[in-house]
């Protein structure tokens, strides 16, 4: 099966690039790309991820880069087993606590593909969208304070969009999330999906979806980003 892949990075208003991409085995962390990189890959499967570091300056940059550097472990088996995936995330978390920088962490929004079968994983508030001929669908689920309030019915989706605490993350990878991993009170979000012809996935940080409404993202990219 042939996949069309495009990826792009821009540091935006930050002083350091705290985002990192994992593109089917390649780790990418650049301040700015002049153009999006586009390629076609014929593979039985693949693994793609976007990580957004936190901790300020070197902390966030290190955290996202560290997580992307360990993503190759997912490609050893490309297994859709939940336990397989959780074990790798737990191992990444363990290594970050052991080798990492204090007060740092990272989100991870991931897509695993085998043929046209896919699985979405996410930790934090980086997102995975699906673009179809008619609409854009949010396939990931934020681990944020605001999303928790929405889930409990204490906040509406409309109120969440401009909420002053929307950037508070409740779960991720790194030493700042050690308690959540130890108590197991937060879970890696997982969702199965099928990629049909003329459909596309978009993986991005909140640097995209916090600036652009979902409808505008679709207007810019749908129904065919290429």
């Amino acid at each position: 099966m042939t996949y069309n892949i495009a990826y792009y990075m821009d540091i935006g208003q930050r002083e350091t690039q705290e985002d990192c991409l994992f593109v089917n085995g390649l780790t990418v962390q650049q301040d700015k790309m002049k153009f999006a990189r586009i390629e076609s890959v014929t593979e039985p499967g693949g693994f793609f991820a976007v990580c957004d570091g936190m901790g300020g300056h070197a902390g966030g940059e290190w955290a996202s880069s560290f997580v992307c550097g360990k993503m190759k472990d997912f490609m050893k088996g490309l297994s859709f087993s939940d336990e397989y995936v959780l074990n790798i995330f737990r191992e990444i978390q363990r290594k970050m606590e052991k080798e990492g920088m204090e007060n740092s962490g990272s989100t991870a929004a991931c897509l695993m593909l085998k043929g046209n079968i896919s699985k979405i994983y996410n930790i934090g508030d980086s997102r995975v969208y699906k673009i179809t001929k008619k609409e854009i669908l949010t396939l990931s689920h934020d681990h944020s304070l605001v999303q928790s309030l929405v889930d409990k019915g204490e906040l509406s989706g409309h109120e969440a969009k401009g909420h002053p605490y929307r950037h508070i993350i409740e779960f991720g990878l790194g030493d700042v999330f050690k308690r959540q991993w130890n108590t197991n009170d937060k879970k890696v979000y997982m969702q199965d999906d099928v990629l049909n012809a003329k459909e596309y996935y978009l993986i991005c940080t909140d640097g995209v979806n916090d600036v652009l409404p979902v409808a505008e993202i679709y207007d810019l990219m749908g129904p065919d980003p290429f």
Side-chain angles (χ1 to χ4, degrees):
M1 188 169 183
T2 300
Y3 305 104
N4 293 319
I5 303 166
Y7 54 97
Y8 178 77
M9 300 191 77
D10 190 318
I11 195 171
Q13 301 300 313
R14 292 175 173 174
E15 295 181 3
T16 58
Q17 179 56 277
E18 295 183 321
D19 297 343
C20 192
L21 312 180
F22 183 83
V23 186
N24 213 30
L26 176 68
T27 297
V28 182
Q29 191 173 48
Q30 295 180 214
D31 284 353
K32 185 178 179 65
M33 294 180 177
K34 190 172 183 180
F35 303 104
R37 295 180 185 171
I38 302 173
E39 55 188 87
S40 294
V41 180
T42 301
E43 298 282 355
F47 191 86
F48 310 90
V50 167
C51 297
D52 184 358
M54 58 199 78
H57 300 289
E61 183 179 7
W62 176 88
S64 63
S65 178
F66 186 93
V67 173
C68 280
K70 300 301 180 185
M71 289 289 182
K72 289 184 180 179
D73 290 344
F74 284 96
M75 300 185 68
K76 293 176 181 178
L78 280 178
S79 170
F80 282 8
S81 160
D82 289 351
E83 193 58 33
Y84 168 84
V85 172
L86 288 173
N87 283 339
I88 294 177
F89 275 123
R90 290 188 191 108
E91 183 63 13
I92 293 174
Q93 174 65 22
R94 187 191 67 79
K95 289 179 178 178
M96 289 186 80
E97 291 177 17
K98 180 180 179 181
E99 305 172 25
M101 192 173 292
E102 291 185 0
N103 299 316
S104 67
S106 179
T107 69
C110 312
L111 169 69
M112 185 183 289
L113 281 164
K114 290 181 74 174
N116 70 330
I117 306 300
S118 59
K119 193 148 192 171
I120 288 84
Y121 314 101
N122 84 278
I123 307 177
D125 66 347
S126 294
R127 292 185 180 175
V128 181
Y129 295 101
K130 185 176 184 179
I131 298 171
T132 73
K133 293 179 181 179
K134 297 181 179 180
E135 61 184 341
I136 181 169
L137 305 169
T138 305
L139 300 185
S140 54
H141 193 79
D142 291 352
H143 293 103
S144 65
L145 172 61
V146 167
Q147 185 61 55
S148 291
L149 295 175
V150 172
D151 293 343
K152 295 173 183 176
E154 298 175 11
L155 201 67
S156 70
H158 177 74
E159 291 171 324
K161 291 179 181 178
H163 199 282
Y165 297 146
R166 65 188 182 278
H167 299 302
I168 296 179
I169 307 302
E170 295 187 322
F171 190 42
L173 292 159
D175 77 302
V176 293
F177 302 107
K178 183 176 181 179
R179 181 188 62 79
Q180 289 89 333
W181 283 95
N182 288 342
T183 58
N184 204 34
D185 63 346
K186 296 290 181 181
K187 306 287 185 182
V188 176
Y189 181 77
M190 303 185 182
Q191 179 169 323
D192 297 319
D193 195 52
V194 175
L195 182 66
N196 299 305
K198 300 298 182 180
E199 293 183 344
Y200 305 87
Y201 294 113
L202 168 65
I203 314 174
C204 64
T205 69
D206 63 348
V208 174
N209 58 262
D210 196 41
V211 175
L212 299 174
V214 174
E216 191 170 342
I217 294 174
Y218 184 78
D219 288 341
L220 291 169
M221 302 196 67
D224 185 348
F226 292 90

